[in-house]
Amino acid sequence: APAPAAAASAPAPAAPAVPAAAAAPSSGDRVIASPLAKRLAAAAQLTLQGVTGTGTGNRITKADVEALVAGRQSAAAAAPAAAAAAASSPAPVATESYTDLPLSNMRKVIASRLLQSKQTIPHYYLSIDVRVDEVLELRQRLNKDADGKFKLSVNDFVIKAAALALKQVPQANSSWHDTFIRQHNTADISVAVATDNGLITPIVTGAEAKGLATIAGDVKALADKARSNKLAPHEYQGGTFTISNLGMFGVKSFSAIINPPQACILAVGGIEKQLVPGEEAPAVANVMTVTLSCDHRVVDGAVGAQWLQAFKKYFETPVKMLL
């Protein structure tokens, strides 16, 4: 809210007299100033040419030079504030060659957090290929038996497997807090959702204890609220682990930026048919590449590898998720 205006009865303080620039220098090109005024001007790298002093016969005094220095400092201090005010409400700029778009508040927050993450978190990356044939078969069977009550996606299985792996390797379910590491007791999975305003990560809380149908319902409801700008703060703040899936766009693999203060984020690629070793002969299998980004301050390489092995175990044997 704007600050209340000052009472009209309070007189404003008189502004100090500031020497004015004359139309022409005093006495031709000669500067009429006291020796002290000249020394102060030289120290401040000020030129007194064209300045009309306030002393006798327009003589430039010490007070005149001090007023000039103060005026220059005030102008310098006001410049950044004016620039910031202009930048706070930019207008779109368009030419034949380009269009400059103003930043939304969400985009500013995203930019700030991603920059903070890449500049302050020692990222490292671990990738593994996971066979998804049994997940695809179980998904098809469960969706068929659901009679429209729910519809499971591959990402629902990813969330469940990730949550169970976090319970098995709790060091990965941790966050960095400068003076301590917090290890979380529940797997609250942040799921990256793309919206018109930018990326947001609503949270499936306690995913390790939820069934696949419940997870699917939660993800759908949260994604709908995210895209319609109706998420409450508690629905996107405070997750313990993030999943970003670009497989539906045909992306084979990628490395995601950690969402601080979390220590890990899982990047999920698309499913491809690959030739894999079989018991008697090579076979064709559906394979998905996942990449785990870790904060090395919290999760050592061996811990990250253990988490990926646990994730792979659950995902390649999805019936274990139902137990």
Side-chain angles (χ1 to χ4, degrees):
S9 58
V18 178
S26 304
S27 300
D29 291 334
R30 186 165 65 89
V31 173
I32 304 175
S34 70
L36 178 57
K38 289 181 180 180
R39 288 198 300 272
L40 290 174
Q45 296 182 334
L46 281 174
T47 178
L48 298 179
Q49 286 286 352
V51 176
T52 301
T54 59
T56 305
N58 293 334
R59 183 183 182 87
I60 301 170
T61 65
K62 170 189 172 184
D64 295 332
V65 176
E66 289 175 341
L68 287 170
V69 171
R72 185 174 66 175
Q73 291 174 341
S74 297
S88 64
S89 55
V93 176
T95 71
E96 293 183 359
S97 303
Y98 61 84
T99 301
D100 291 339
L101 303 176
L103 297 178
S104 66
N105 288 335
M106 178 181 284
R107 179 57 61 186
K108 290 178 184 178
V109 171
I110 292 170
S112 175
R113 287 179 62 81
L114 293 180
L115 182 63
Q116 173 199 5
S117 178
K118 287 299 285 186
Q119 286 185 333
T120 63
I121 296 178
H123 286 62
Y124 72 91
Y125 311 95
L126 302 172
S127 296
I128 194 170
D129 287 339
V130 181
R131 295 183 61 167
V132 300
D133 295 282
E134 290 196 28
V135 160
L136 295 178
E137 291 174 8
L138 180 59
R139 171 178 173 260
Q140 183 179 23
R141 190 160 66 249
L142 291 175
N143 283 341
K144 183 178 179 181
D145 294 342
D147 292 328
K149 294 178 182 177
F150 58 82
K151 186 176 182 180
L152 301 178
S153 70
V154 172
N155 206 48
D156 299 326
F157 286 87
V158 171
I159 294 169
K160 181 65 175 181
L164 293 174
L166 289 172
K167 294 300 291 182
Q168 185 171 324
V169 187
Q171 299 96 319
N173 196 33
S174 301
S175 54
W176 177 262
H177 292 271
D178 291 331
T179 58
F180 61 91
I181 294 172
R182 175 171 294 160
Q183 194 170 110
H184 302 278
N185 297 324
T186 59
D188 299 332
I189 308 294
S190 302
V191 182
V193 175
T195 72
D196 292 339
N197 295 320
L199 194 69
I200 194 166
T201 51
I203 304 163
V204 179
T205 57
E208 80 284 356
K210 291 180 176 177
L212 288 163
T214 302
I215 290 174
D218 285 356
V219 171
K220 184 180 185 307
L222 289 167
D224 289 345
K225 291 176 76 172
R227 295 189 179 106
S228 59
N229 248 352
K230 294 181 180 178
L231 282 175
H234 73 273
E235 292 176 313
Y236 61 87
Q237 295 176 355
T240 65
F241 184 97
T242 297
I243 293 172
S244 181
N245 191 337
L246 294 179
M248 67 286 293
F249 297 105
V251 175
K252 175 177 172 49
S253 65
F254 66 103
S255 300
I257 300 174
I258 293 170
N259 183 17
Q262 297 174 14
C264 296
I265 181 171
L266 185 70
V268 182
I271 299 171
E272 293 184 336
K273 291 189 179 297
Q274 294 184 15
L275 198 63
V276 298
E279 293 182 1
E280 298 181 357
V284 175
N286 289 291
V287 176
M288 178 178 72
T289 300
V290 297
T291 300
L292 183 68
S293 304
C294 302
D295 182 346
H296 216 320
R297 299 171 300 180
V298 182
V299 178
D300 294 332
V303 173
Q306 290 167 13
W307 185 89
L308 279 174
Q309 288 298 323
F311 175 83
K312 180 182 177 76
K313 176 190 70 176
Y314 283 114
F315 206 82
E316 292 188 342
T317 316
V319 68
K320 292 183 177 179
M321 301 187 208
L322 306 179
L323 299 177

